[in-house]
Amino acid sequence: MSRDLLNLQLELHEARRPYALATVVEILGSSSAKPASKALIDLSGKVIAGWVGGGCAQSMVSSAALECLDTGAPRVIEIDLNDEVFGAGMPCGGSMRVYVEPVLPKPLLWLMGHGRIVESLCEFAQRLGFDVIVNDPQATVERFPTALRVISDDSRYQQLQPQTGDFVVIATHHKGDYDSLTRALQSEALYISLVASRKRANLVLERLRQEGCPETRLARVRAPAGLNLGAKLPEEIALSIVSEMVLVRRGGCGEPLSKTLPATD
């Protein structure tokens, strides 16, 4: 793989931009690409670096890349370069197999707060494949060794900048609920939850409502946070919250498997 391709992959990784990596694994007959040729395809289907063939193959590889980015699953495609109708669109005189692999950034969790619930939640989320940013004046790297980043100089939560698909959990012990929730609701985060009693959560939401926050935005807030597991201990509460995050991420229903799976002999 060329250094330019590797450098671009590193840049995309650091920018948390998804892409697909296409690799030619086999060539039969004539083709402008060679085995091990590689290309990077972005979310629009555009080849942004590399080469896996010209007009004969590029459109099919780009189409497969978009499907892989949508499903999150890799696939091998076979391209008949001889077939003008069902193949790549023009007779190039051969065939090729291309492995298309989606490269997706880990889901990002923004944790606002400190304490045992937040510490446990950081640990659980990291083990479940999340990158975690902890933002709280009392947070320290020592207390959050698995966090991707710890922010402790942001008392008004100005650095809370969730992107589309991010997760946000607010556990600021009432001190930063309003500021952090206001910023979270201005984003396209996939999941926003508030760790608070129902009474406290309603007070925060009512304040936002009186300030003109639309009901459609307020309805995005999961408060109190988490699934009803009957949790009492901080670790159990963290488990209930991360379980709800997994449910949202994977499209689950939260019902017991014993009730949802079909009976088998």
Side-chain angles (χ1 to χ4, degrees), residues 58-119:
Q58 181 173 315
S59 63
M60 293 186 69
V61 172
S62 294
S63 178
L66 291 177
E67 292 179 12
C68 291
L69 287 167
D70 183 53
T71 63
R75 59 178 292 202
V76 175
I77 61 171
E78 305 207 13
I79 303 174
D80 184 353
L81 303 175
N82 290 299
D83 193 331
E84 297 185 54
V85 178
F86 299 106
M90 60 183 294
C92 295
S95 64
M96 61 192 298
R97 299 174 71 231
V98 181
Y99 177 65
V100 184
E101 176 185 10
V103 182
L104 304 171
K106 292 181 179 180
L108 184 60
L109 167 62
W110 295 80
L111 269 177
M112 307 292 109
H114 67 279
R116 189 57 192 152
I117 292 176
V118 181
E119 291 169 9

Side-chain angles (χ1 to χ4, degrees), residues 122-139:
C122 180
E123 181 181 351
F124 293 163
Q126 190 273 335
R127 287 180 176 271
L128 291 171
F130 289 80
D131 280 336
V132 184
I133 296 177
V134 179
N135 186 340
D136 189 84
Q138 297 187 48

Side-chain angles (χ1 to χ4, degrees), residues 32-255:
S32 56
K34 303 300 179 185
S37 296
K38 300 178 187 296
L40 305 183
I41 299 100
D42 67 11
L43 280 174
S44 69
K46 178 182 177 182
V47 175
I48 55 177
W51 175 260
V52 289
C56 294
Q58 181 173 315
S59 63
M60 293 186 69
V61 172
S62 294
S63 178
L66 291 177
E67 292 179 12
C68 291
L69 287 167
D70 183 53
T71 63
R75 59 178 292 202
V76 175
I77 61 171
E78 305 207 13
I79 303 174
D80 184 353
L81 303 175
N82 290 299
D83 193 331
E84 297 185 54
V85 178
F86 299 106
M90 60 183 294
C92 295
S95 64
M96 61 192 298
R97 299 174 71 231
V98 181
Y99 177 65
V100 184
E101 176 185 10
V103 182
L104 304 171
K106 292 181 179 180
L108 184 60
L109 167 62
W110 295 80
L111 269 177
M112 307 292 109
H114 67 279
R116 189 57 192 152
I117 292 176
V118 181
E119 291 169 9
S120 298
L121 188 51
C122 180
E123 181 181 351
F124 293 163
Q126 190 273 335
R127 287 180 176 271
L128 291 171
F130 289 80
D131 280 336
V132 184
I133 296 177
V134 179
N135 186 340
D136 189 84
Q138 297 187 48
T140 64
V141 174
E142 292 73 21
R143 301 300 296 181
F144 296 96
T146 61
L148 177 69
R149 183 182 172 199
V150 175
I151 302 171
S152 58
D153 60 348
D154 186 29
S155 60
R156 296 300 299 274
Y157 304 98
Q158 297 299 304
Q159 296 182 53
L160 171 58
Q161 299 176 349
Q163 304 299 309
T164 301
D166 286 357
F167 291 67
V168 181
V169 176
I170 297 167
T172 53
H173 304 287
H174 315 323
K175 298 177 182 178
D177 292 356
Y178 172 78
D179 287 336
S180 54
L181 189 56
T182 298
R183 289 193 64 82
L185 286 173
Q186 293 170 355
S187 75
E188 296 302 320
L190 177 63
Y191 173 91
I192 301 172
S193 68
L194 178 61
V195 182
S197 66
R198 192 174 301 278
K199 179 179 180 180
R200 173 61 190 175
N202 287 338
L203 289 174
V204 176
L205 294 175
E206 183 58 31
R207 178 179 174 182
L208 289 167
R209 184 177 291 108
Q210 291 178 359
E211 293 182 358
C213 185
E215 289 294 333
T216 52
R217 285 181 178 262
L218 295 176
R220 297 171 57 202
V221 182
R222 295 171 179 266
L227 301 180
N228 185 3
L229 304 182
K232 299 296 183 183
L233 300 175
E235 294 82 0
E236 294 174 340
I237 295 171
L239 177 61
S240 77
I241 296 169
V242 79
S243 296
E244 185 175 55
M245 290 165 49
V246 172
L247 181 148
V248 171
R249 181 186 180 192
R250 301 301 188 188
C253 65
E255 290 288 332

Side-chain angles (χ1 to χ4, degrees), residues 5-63:
L5 211 63
L6 284 171
N7 288 339
L8 181 54
Q9 284 185 273
L10 287 173
E11 291 176 12
L12 293 170
H13 174 75
E14 291 176 358
R16 301 184 60 80
R17 289 176 53 192
Y19 65 92
L21 173 64
T23 305
V24 177
V25 295
E26 184 179 32
I27 296 287
L28 296 176
S30 175
S31 171
S32 56
K34 303 300 179 185
S37 296
K38 300 178 187 296
L40 305 183
I41 299 100
D42 67 11
L43 280 174
S44 69
K46 178 182 177 182
V47 175
I48 55 177
W51 175 260
V52 289
C56 294
Q58 181 173 315
S59 63
M60 293 186 69
V61 172
S62 294
S63 178

